[in-house]
Amino acid sequence: MKKIGSSIMVIVLIAAITTTGVMGKSSSLNNYKCKTMSVSGNYSKDISKNSYKKIISSYKQLEKVKKYVKKNYNYSKKYLKKLNKYNKKFFKKNALIFVTENVDVNAKTYTMSSLEKKDDKLLINIDRRNTLKEGQYTTEEIQYCANTYFISVKNLSIKKTKKIKVVYNDVESDNNMQETTK
């Protein structure tokens, strides 16, 4: 019986060492929910090209983000309506990843494909598809869209995460993908 117990302890120890060694690599997070919202309009020099990325792990942090959104966002009521759905109970076990990216939507669609954790970074993978058929062209007027992602995750799955990086994967019609980052 002692041999079985010590064998199990050795296996558990090896598993713990192996798991610790994997932390430097990218690991996919499967337990998340993503809601999206888009606000579109014509491009102007007044529109910020910067994105806003925030890991919100408490209700107090959410209140700060709401103030920022109210002050800096066009159509802030739409954003606040979504953010108001998250309450103190939600933040006991969960965190909210709030990301807004201003993107060109001329004949393009954007879909979140996965969420990964790599070291202290959270990678949000977005598939970007060109919807033009062969022989079609876009207008010269640039249509912009503020794509916003509301991603809820368990607090433990993003522990020690400090940065958010959005990675765009250009998806061609023949399923060839090219990666670009922002």
Side-chain angles (χ1 to χ4, degrees):
M1 193 70 169
K2 282 187 176 184
K3 284 185 177 183
I4 294 173
S6 62
S7 297
I8 291 172
M9 286 197 43
V10 169
I11 292 170
V12 170
L13 182 60
I14 290 170
I17 291 169
T18 306
T19 304
T20 306
V22 173
M23 293 303 279
K25 296 180 181 178
S26 175
S27 60
S28 182
L29 299 176
N30 297 324
N31 234 357
Y32 67 88
K33 292 179 185 174
C34 179
K35 296 178 183 178
T36 60
M37 185 176 95
S38 298
V39 176
S40 61
N42 293 328
Y43 179 81
S44 76
K45 291 180 182 179
D46 298 332
I47 296 170
S48 172
K49 290 186 179 183
N50 297 328
S51 61
Y52 183 72
K53 305 169 195 165
K54 189 77 175 164
I55 298 171
I56 308 167
S57 55
S58 71
Y59 190 76
K60 188 176 181 179
Q61 290 175 341
L62 177 66
E63 290 299 314
K64 289 180 182 177
V65 169
K66 285 180 186 179
K67 287 178 185 175
Y68 177 85
V69 166
K70 189 174 182 177
K71 183 179 177 187
N72 296 295
Y73 277 49
N74 293 330
Y75 309 106
S76 62
K77 287 182 182 179
K78 282 185 167 186
Y79 294 95
L80 293 173
K81 185 177 178 181
K82 290 256 189 187
L83 290 171
N84 284 332
K85 293 179 181 179
Y86 300 94
N87 56 27
K88 289 180 182 179
K89 185 179 175 183
F90 171 84
F91 290 104
K92 287 183 181 180
K93 292 184 180 179
N94 302 296
L96 177 66
I97 313 302
F98 179 75
V99 176
T100 298
E101 293 275 319
N102 290 329
V103 293
D104 169 14
V105 290
N106 278 357
K108 292 181 177 75
T109 62
Y110 299 83
T111 308
M112 184 178 158
S113 59
S114 65
L115 187 64
E116 297 177 54
K117 185 176 176 191
K118 185 175 183 179
D119 300 323
D120 67 341
K121 287 183 189 164
L122 195 61
L123 304 175
I124 300 172
N125 295 301
I126 307 290
D127 288 347
R128 178 172 45 202
R129 286 183 172 76
N130 186 346
T131 59
L132 286 178
K133 294 179 182 173
E134 194 172 321
Q136 290 182 326
Y137 301 95
T138 63
T139 62
E140 289 185 22
E141 183 178 325
I142 297 174
Q143 292 291 314
Y144 105 98
C145 182
N147 281 345
T148 302
Y149 302 92
F150 302 84
I151 307 164
S152 49
V153 295
K154 297 290 181 195
N155 274 329
L156 292 175
S157 64
I158 60 164
K159 196 174 181 180
K160 298 182 182 178
T161 303
K162 295 182 176 127
K163 297 178 184 176
I164 300 171
K165 184 176 185 179
V166 177
V167 179
Y168 289 96
N169 300 302
D170 289 322
V171 179
E172 303 288 331
S173 58
D174 59 354
N175 293 331
N176 293 333
M177 287 199 269
Q178 300 171 340
E179 184 178 292
T180 58
T181 58
K182 183 174 182 183

